[in-house]
Amino acid sequence: MLGWAVTFLVIAIIAALFGFGGIAGASAGIAQILFFVFLVLFVVAMVARAVRGKPPV
């Protein structure tokens, strides 16, 4: 999921360089949403691992 966020961020940067503001804004928004979903899933996984008694890696 983090890879998809980086991909959309790169698309947004390239689109902004070429002047496509709408595409750049949409891609940046998608990248931001994917990044926050990744963070939430990562924290949930770490909490679940800690509850089961395994130390975080």
Side-chain angles (χ1 to χ4, degrees):
M1 182 151 322
L2 190 57
W4 281 102
V6 171
T7 301
F8 277 104
L9 179 63
V10 169
I11 291 171
I13 291 171
I14 292 172
L17 288 174
F18 287 119
F20 297 109
I23 296 171
S27 295
I30 293 170
Q32 187 176 13
I33 291 169
L34 287 174
F35 180 72
F36 285 124
V37 168
F38 166 77
L39 282 181
V40 168
L41 291 175
F42 179 74
V43 169
V44 167
M46 289 294 115
V47 169
R49 187 174 175 94
V51 167
R52 286 186 295 194
K54 297 179 182 177
V57 178

